[in-house]
Amino acid sequence: MATTKYTSFNFSVQSGLGMTVLPNGVVSKLTEGGQAKTMGVKAGWRVRSLTEGQYVRSAATLEEVKAVLGRLKSSNLGYTKITFDTDPSPPNPPA
């Protein structure tokens, strides 16, 4: 059975995150010099959640990521913790 691995980083929401996220929540591209690349985010990781103030919001799709980031920007909260699944490959089907 595969072990799921997660890692989290604190991002400023007042500037670009420096990554392109596909509709399924997978990071597809990193911007050279951007927050994500500087912190060590890797293409292929999947966004799992973002913090919104004291709450943790599930964000498995691009639309969910955009919704949380939009609320954070409009509320003047400066940072969000984004948690990534660093091994998002689907589990092996049963034999």
Side-chain angles (χ1 to χ4, degrees):
M1 181 175 213
T3 302
T4 304
K5 297 178 183 176
Y6 298 105
T7 192
S8 301
F9 299 99
N10 290 318
F11 286 84
S12 168
V13 297
Q14 302 308 319
S15 61
L17 302 179
M19 63 183 173
T20 301
V21 178
L22 298 174
N24 64 357
V26 173
V27 176
S28 65
K29 183 178 173 184
L30 300 163
T31 304
E32 198 62 44
Q35 290 186 82
K37 185 155 186 132
T38 301
M39 290 182 204
V41 174
K42 306 288 185 214
W45 288 3
R46 183 182 308 272
V47 176
R48 300 309 297 169
S49 64
L50 293 91
T51 58
E52 185 176 357
Q54 64 185 13
Y55 303 101
V56 176
R57 305 290 186 200
S58 173
T61 68
L62 176 59
E63 290 306 312
E64 291 169 334
V65 170
K66 286 181 176 180
V68 172
L69 289 175
R71 288 192 302 268
L72 288 167
K73 284 182 181 181
S74 66
S75 68
N76 292 320
L77 290 173
Y79 290 86
T80 184
K81 180 170 75 173
I82 301 178
T83 299
F84 298 89
D85 179 346
T86 62
D87 187 19
S89 55
N92 294 330

